[in-house]
Amino acid sequence: MLLTIENVALEVVSAFISKNIVPAEERLKNLADVKKISRLKKNTGFESFSVVDEKICTSDLCTAAAEKIFAETKIKREEIRAIIFVSQTSDYFIPSTAHILQARLNLPRDIAAFDISLGCSGFVYGLYVAASLIQNLPDGKILLLCGDTSTRRVFDGDISAMSIFGDGGTATVISKCNGQKMFFNLQSFGELYENIIVRRGSLREPLNVEKNFFDDEENFVKMDGVEVMKFSAQFVPPNLKDLINFADVKISNVDKFFLHQANKLIVENVMLQLNLTPEKVPFNAGKIGNTSSASIPILISEMQSGLSLLSGFGVGMSIASALTDLSNLIRLPIGEI
C-alpha cells in the first residue's frame, strides 16, 4: 500500500539500551567453538549484545527514553495527545502497556493510548499510525514508544537466535509540520508467518505443561534464517524502489537508507541490489545486536541525515517503509539502563 501523509514530521528521538553489553564469545560459549563464533560474528556483524537484567522490561527502556525527552527538550507532557507502544514483549497480556505508561509518565488522562504488536517493521508502522492519527488532532504531539527485550524470548540452546538478538527501547515524538510529507509503502506476507514465531504461550497453542518452561524450545522464538534471508532479498528491494518512484525522487537524492538492522549480511544484500554504498546504507548495530522495532530509531539517533528512507522488515512477515526528511530531527545521545 503506497500512500502520502502531509504536514507531519519526526521531532525528536531518544533511545536506551542495556548497560550490560555481552561479547559474542561469552554469550555463545556453551553453543559453539571459537572458530564457529568467529564465523558467526563475521556473517551477522554482531560482536556483542545489549542484554537487559531479567527484571527490566521493554517498558522500562522506553520510559527512560521518554523521560529523557521531557528532561532535555522543550516538549511538555501536557502536549502529548496519544501514546503508542509498539512491541512484542509487553508487560502483561492484559492490560495494554500503553495505559500503564500513560500513568507512569504522568501524561494527561484525556489522551489515546494503545499497543501495537509488531517487531521488525514496528517502528515504521508506528509512524504510519501516528502520522494518520495526528491529522485529526487540533493540536499536540504523539509519543511513539518502540522496542523489545528479545533476549528474554530466546531459547538458550538456539545458537541462531542467541547470535542475533539484543534489547533496546526508544521514544519518538511526532508533530505537525506544515509542508513536510511522509511517503509510505506497507506490505503484508501473512502466508509466511511461521518464518519467525513463538509457537506456544497464547490461545492457539498453550504452553506445554508436561515440560519445564525453559526446556521447551517452542516456548521461545523460532526463526528460519534461510527463509528470512530469502524474504529480505526477494521483497525488500522492490518495496524500496516502488516507494522511491511513488515519491517521485531520484535514488541518488536519498541521503540515508536506514534499514532494520536484521544482520549485516541482510543489510549488505539490500544495499548491493540497490547499487548503493555503505555510507548510504549504514549498519551500526554490531555492538548491541538486532533490537527488533528499536533498531531503526536507534540507528537514526546516531547520525545526521536529510531525506531518509526508513524500512523495517521481518516478523509477520511484513515490510514497512517510509521516506521523509530528517534534517530537523533532534537526536538525543543513547542512554543505558
Side-chain angles (χ1 to χ4, degrees):
M1 178 171 65
L2 290 158
L3 64 144
T4 306
I5 300 180
E6 299 186 0
N7 301 320
V8 61
L10 284 73
E11 184 173 352
V12 57
V13 63
S14 171
F16 266 72
I17 59 173
S18 175
K19 62 183 177 182
N20 183 35
I21 304 299
V22 182
E25 290 80 4
E26 180 180 342
R27 187 158 173 76
L28 306 176
K29 62 184 178 182
N30 296 324
L31 301 174
D33 58 28
V34 174
K35 287 185 177 179
K36 185 171 182 178
I37 294 173
S38 179
R39 288 197 300 271
L40 283 169
K41 287 168 59 177
K42 182 178 180 181
N43 290 333
T44 65
F46 299 130
E47 300 178 0
S48 55
F49 306 90
S50 165
V51 181
V52 297
D53 180 89
E54 63 181 10
K55 295 182 179 180
I56 294 176
C57 294
T58 305
S59 62
D60 300 316
L61 294 166
C62 290
T63 295
E67 290 289 6
K68 187 166 186 152
I69 289 176
F70 295 129
E72 298 186 14
T73 72
K74 295 180 180 180
I75 295 172
K76 299 177 180 179
R77 297 174 198 269
E78 55 266 30
E79 293 181 280
I80 303 301
R81 308 302 300 145
I83 178 172
I84 304 171
F85 180 71
V86 182
S87 180
Q88 294 183 139
T89 48
S90 56
D91 284 14
Y92 306 100
F93 280 125
I94 299 173
S96 66
T97 304
H99 290 93
I100 298 171
L101 291 173
Q102 172 266 323
R104 187 173 175 183
L105 291 168
N106 196 27
L107 298 177
R109 287 179 173 174
D110 60 335
I111 69 172
F114 54 92
D115 289 4
I116 297 176
S117 177
L118 272 173
C120 316
S121 62
F123 178 69
V124 179
Y125 261 103
L127 282 182
Y128 164 65
V129 173
S132 301
L133 184 61
I134 206 168
Q135 302 301 308
N136 294 317
L137 294 178
D139 55 25
K141 306 173 187 295
I142 295 178
L143 181 62
L144 174 62
L145 305 177
C146 286
D148 271 306
T149 44
S150 299
T151 62
R152 307 271 290 277
R153 292 283 200 183
V154 171
F155 181 61
D156 62 10
D158 183 356
I159 191 170
S160 64
M162 288 282 286
S163 63
I164 291 290
F165 292 110
D167 302 322
T170 65
T172 306
V173 174
I174 292 89
S175 308
K176 290 189 175 184
C177 182
N178 289 335
Q180 181 87 321
K181 294 182 180 180
M182 286 188 187
F183 302 93
F184 291 92
N185 191 6
L186 310 177
Q187 291 183 288
S188 178
F189 303 80
E191 70 275 13
L192 304 175
Y193 77 95
E194 290 187 288
N195 286 349
I196 306 174
I197 189 171
V198 178
R199 185 165 294 282
R200 292 190 175 271
S202 195
L203 300 185
R204 180 66 62 185
E205 297 187 47
L207 293 175
N208 184 353
V209 296
E210 296 179 0
K211 269 185 168 184
N212 180 294
F213 178 89
F214 295 102
D215 291 334
D216 191 344
E217 289 189 58
E218 290 196 344
N219 294 334
F220 298 88
V221 65
K222 292 291 291 182
M223 179 175 63
D224 188 328
V226 173
E227 289 302 315
V228 170
M229 182 63 136
K230 285 168 59 178
F231 170 82
S232 303
Q234 181 177 355
F235 296 113
V236 174
N239 176 283
L240 305 186
K241 290 177 182 177
D242 288 346
L243 178 58
I244 290 169
N245 291 334
F246 175 73
D248 195 24
V249 300
K250 294 181 178 180
I251 194 168
S252 59
N253 290 336
V254 180
D255 187 19
K256 288 285 191 297
F257 289 74
F258 292 116
L259 306 185
H260 167 54
Q261 305 286 276
N263 66 43
K264 187 176 182 181
L265 197 59
I266 287 176
V267 172
E268 288 183 343
N269 184 281
V270 175
M271 176 189 73
L272 291 173
Q273 287 201 52
L274 296 177
N275 294 314
L276 299 170
T277 64
E279 291 73 27
K280 287 263 191 179
V281 191
F283 178 81
N284 214 25
K287 302 297 183 184
I288 62 173
N290 175 340
T291 54
S292 187
S293 65
S295 77
I296 294 175
I298 288 175
L299 186 59
I300 65 176
S301 73
E302 294 181 304
M303 57 190 68
Q304 294 293 322
S305 62
L307 184 62
S308 302
L309 196 154
L310 323 177
S311 183
F313 43 86
V315 66
M317 300 292 281
S318 60
I319 306 174
S321 303
L323 185 69
T324 191
D325 193 336
L326 300 180
S327 299
N328 297 318
L329 176 65
I330 300 171
R331 299 163 170 86
L332 300 182
I334 295 176
E336 296 182 353
I337 187 173

